[in-house]
Amino acid sequence: MTDTPRILLIGADGQVGWELRRTLAPVGQVIAASLSGQDGPAVDLTEPASVRRLFHETAPDAVVNAAAYTAVDKAESQPELAQAINGDALALIAELCTAPRIPVIHYSTDFVFSGVTDHPYREDDPAEPRSVYGRTKLAGEQALLESGAPALVFRTAWVYGVRGSNFLLTMLNLFRERAELRIVDDQIGTPTWSRMLAEVTAQIAYRVFHGGLDIEEVKGLYHLTGAGATSWFGFAEAIREAAGSQCRLLPIPTSEYPAPAQRPAYSVLDTGRFRRTFGLALPDWRHSLALCLADLREQRPLMTSAAKGPK
């Protein structure tokens, strides 16, 4: 492997991509590609010519794809767009990486499962997505894995962080505006910090390029989330407690919060294969939340007082 690999990071302006810019820096030269092209080359995943041009101009030694169509409900009315970004683009990336054996790291989702179970999902459990988003993400991971490219696909869930659109930031904003919130309490999963994903990805990438890890031997599908599980209501309670908010939270069933896309009722992922293969301990979701909120306080000093809610 080259001493200074060129790492093409696609989706560099997303919540995971933004964290990856920093964590991948010690591994090699990070080429930050995004739709806007604000801090690097522009790429439109709905246009194959744009993707091919990106690869031709950057000549990457590795690819990390953090881009996705993630508007879960909107995908129900935009299935072609979701498929183009989540499915077709991955098939093209696989094509461009297979022959030259370019390592690829890609993120998938718990939405590939139906959620009709009572035990953490393993990688070999049947994928039965119930939404357009889930089906298109499944199509993308299958295209990449079936291509034979040296790829690692990390399924994750309930991703949040200090930027972007996510449950944590939504709750903090609502705590400022509302005295009472109704939160779904019958969907169970694992909150996963975007920085944790980025740090784990960087550790593995470092091993591939500098630590003797043969990606051909470990390529495949892995589940990667924080440890533990909770409901959206439990997640909201933990955020409220840490933020010092006085907002009242009321648990409700999913039936009282209808949405266009069906969510998995239970989507806890078994991360045993990941931990055994890479020897990395994954922190409990509450620990990660505390670290994330501490980081957010440094960036937004008024968060705690503002989170107390309306007077």
Side-chain angles (χ1 to χ4, degrees), residues 21-131:
R21 294 191 198 191
R22 177 183 60 83
T23 62
L24 289 173
V27 182
Q29 178 188 354
V30 179
I31 304 166
S34 63
L35 181 61
S36 68
Q38 182 175 353
D39 298 310
V43 61
D44 183 348
L45 293 183
T46 67
E47 296 291 341
S50 177
V51 178
R52 291 183 184 278
R53 182 169 58 252
L54 176 68
F55 273 72
H56 175 74
E57 294 177 352
T58 61
D61 298 304
V63 176
V64 178
N65 180 45
Y69 182 107
T70 57
V72 174
D73 289 322
K74 191 178 291 186
E76 296 296 313
S77 59
Q78 295 182 326
E80 295 84 3
L81 181 58
Q83 175 61 29
I85 296 172
N86 293 342
D88 300 344
L90 264 295
L92 179 53
I93 290 171
E95 174 191 325
L96 296 169
C97 293
T98 300
R101 311 311 293 166
I102 298 173
V104 185
I105 297 177
H106 171 67
Y107 304 94
S108 191
T109 175
D110 59 325
F111 272 72
V112 302
F113 295 115
S114 67
V116 184
T117 187
D118 58 359
H119 67 274
Y121 280 104
R122 299 189 306 269
E123 290 82 355
D124 57 358
D125 282 326
E128 300 172 324
R130 301 292 180 88
S131 65

Side-chain angles (χ1 to χ4, degrees), residues 159-237:
V159 179
Y160 68 91
V162 299
R163 60 184 287 135
S165 176
N166 60 68
F167 188 80
L168 169 65
L169 297 184
T170 297
M171 286 298 101
L172 291 175
N173 287 331
L174 289 175
F175 290 163
R176 298 182 182 97
E177 302 168 0
R178 309 274 187 88
E180 181 177 286
L181 291 173
R182 295 155 60 85
I183 308 293
V184 169
D185 195 33
D186 58 356
Q187 294 175 26
I188 308 298
T190 304
T192 304
W193 187 19
S194 56
R195 182 172 300 173
M196 188 276 284
L197 285 176
E199 289 177 344
V200 166
T201 298
Q203 288 187 54
I204 293 171
Y206 189 90
R207 292 184 193 179
V208 169
F209 284 99
H210 309 292
L213 178 65
D214 187 347
I215 196 169
E216 300 284 0
E217 294 182 358
V218 298
K219 67 181 183 181
L221 176 64
Y222 297 88
H223 288 170
L224 172 54
T225 68
T230 189
S231 66
W232 289 114
F233 179 80
F235 191 16
E237 278 194 316

